[in-house]
Amino acid sequence: MSPPEAAAPATDATPASDAKPALGAAPSGAAPTGPATPGRAGRGAGRWLAAAAVVWAAAMALHAWIPNAGVNAGSLFQTLLPWTGLGVPVLLGLAAVRRSRTAAVAVLAPAVVWVALFGGALTDKRSGGGDLTVVSHNVSEGNPDPAGTARVLAGAGADVLALEELSDASAAVYSRELAAAYPHHAVLGGVGIWSRYPLADVKAVPIMPWTRALRATARTPDGPVAVYAVHLASVRVSAAGFTTGRRNEAARELAAALRAEPATRVVVLGDFNGTYQDRALAPVTSPLRSAQREAGDGLGFTWPAAFPVVRIDDVLVRGMTPRAAWTLPATGSDHLPVAAALSR
């Protein structure tokens, strides 16, 4: 039997190369289309990053214009102003992830503003000399070792010490431990002054309902110096905002006392519970010179002592020239002590 013949191929089959694409399918070899491409999305994100960098730079440069109404956002922003520089590496990193040259260039704006604001603080401006060395320290009412703190302070070799947040018990300890190096002292309320030189004209400065400021004349070999030990009211950050009302009122009262001060040479030492940049403290800070800003090394943060992020303790002067400013080692307090060498 002969084998069956093979079936002939259908003659009406359409060659594969001539097949028409299904309705809605992309032609072979054509690039897929869609509402947006990844490249466009990346460019859009880069533009948003660039805009954010410009806004951040503007906020830093115009910090004095940020309103203080309501939650005191302006004062809070100024308190943390040195840390605004952290936005630069964050924005730069995001620009790198997005591979956006536009955003990377825009990040130069906040970088330049930060350097203009704080670049000078990163240099060592300390120099030799000085007729009077002073130390200020919020010793903390809860300090577990006031005697040890007193020894640290005495070891600094200052001529005048101003201590804040004293309790009745701790004031007695400091008086005993500092007596050998500082035969002259005055304590009123929670503040005190210890001095190698005689003190005169001691009086409380009424900045709050209870005593938080003290004024005395130190009779130094180079002439009298009015010394203020100050502890302005505390501030709080809460859901209600940056609460500074009581501190601001105390600052205004202190400013009035300083305007009435007749002495040519004035040193104001203390815990201001705010930074030099905070415009709410301008009544006190604007007529005075900050030893740290003029003669310090670095930003000189003082609080909290374990990891300082702000400088709320300072040495402010009038009629004297800061020669050097620095912080002392940590004690049992939550603040670092600050020191300065001053000359006429």
Side-chain angles (χ1 to χ4, degrees):
M1 180 179 295
S2 300
E5 293 182 359
T11 57
D12 59 348
T14 303
S17 59
D18 294 333
K20 294 182 179 180
L23 184 63
S28 176
T33 60
T37 66
R40 290 174 183 168
R43 287 194 296 272
R47 286 194 291 268
W48 278 108
L49 285 172
V54 172
V55 170
W56 194 239
M60 294 164 63
L62 303 175
H63 60 86
W65 294 91
I66 297 176
N68 242 351
V71 298
N72 290 316
S75 283
L76 181 58
F77 188 81
Q78 290 176 312
T79 298
L80 300 174
L81 194 58
W83 293 95
T84 56
L86 290 179
V88 172
V90 171
L91 289 169
L92 193 59
L94 292 173
V97 170
R98 290 293 181 178
R99 299 182 179 180
S100 172
R101 283 178 291 184
T102 301
V105 171
V107 172
L108 289 175
V112 169
V113 173
W114 192 93
V115 170
L117 290 172
F118 298 105
L122 302 182
T123 62
D124 189 349
K125 300 177 290 297
R126 294 175 295 181
S127 63
D131 308 312
L132 185 72
T133 301
V134 297
V135 164
S136 176
H137 190 25
N138 179 326
V139 294
S140 179
E141 191 170 355
N143 190 329
D145 185 19
T149 297
R151 288 191 290 271
V152 170
L153 297 175
D159 301 304
V160 176
L161 304 176
L163 306 187
E164 304 87 45
E165 207 167 295
L166 296 166
S167 65
D168 292 340
S170 67
V173 174
Y174 289 109
S175 297
R176 181 180 69 249
E177 295 292 331
L178 296 171
Y182 300 94
H184 311 281
H185 79 278
V187 176
L188 293 176
V191 291
I193 297 173
W194 277 259
S195 173
R196 297 187 188 276
Y197 310 121
L199 296 175
D201 309 320
V202 176
K203 63 179 182 180
V205 182
I207 63 172
M208 293 178 66
W210 51 95
T211 302
R212 300 261 290 205
L214 164 66
R215 186 255 187 225
T217 299
R219 301 196 178 280
T220 77
D222 295 304
V225 177
V227 180
Y228 286 73
V230 175
H231 187 191
L232 296 188
S234 299
V235 299
R236 296 287 185 271
V237 180
S238 66
F242 193 37
T243 307
T244 64
R246 182 172 287 178
R247 183 208 63 180
N248 297 351
E249 177 59 29
R252 289 189 289 269
E253 295 294 333
L254 176 60
L258 292 171
R259 285 194 299 270
E261 173 58 58
T264 302
R265 298 194 294 165
V266 180
V267 181
V268 184
L269 308 159
D271 172 7
F272 297 90
N273 272 309
T275 65
Y276 195 85
Q277 290 85 14
D278 188 340
R279 97 280 303 264
L281 297 183
V284 173
T285 57
S286 59
L288 304 175
R289 301 162 66 184
S290 166
Q292 178 65 29
R293 286 171 65 89
E294 292 195 17
D297 178 19
L299 296 169
F301 294 149
T302 63
W303 184 90
F307 186 79
V309 296
V310 291
R311 182 179 177 86
I312 59 176
D313 307 270
D314 219 332
V315 176
L316 307 177
V317 302
R318 186 178 78 200
M320 303 193 75
T321 300
R323 297 296 182 185
W326 62 98
T327 57
L328 298 178
T331 68
S333 171
D334 58 340
H335 293 244
L336 293 180
V338 295
L342 313 170
S343 66
R344 300 186 65 170

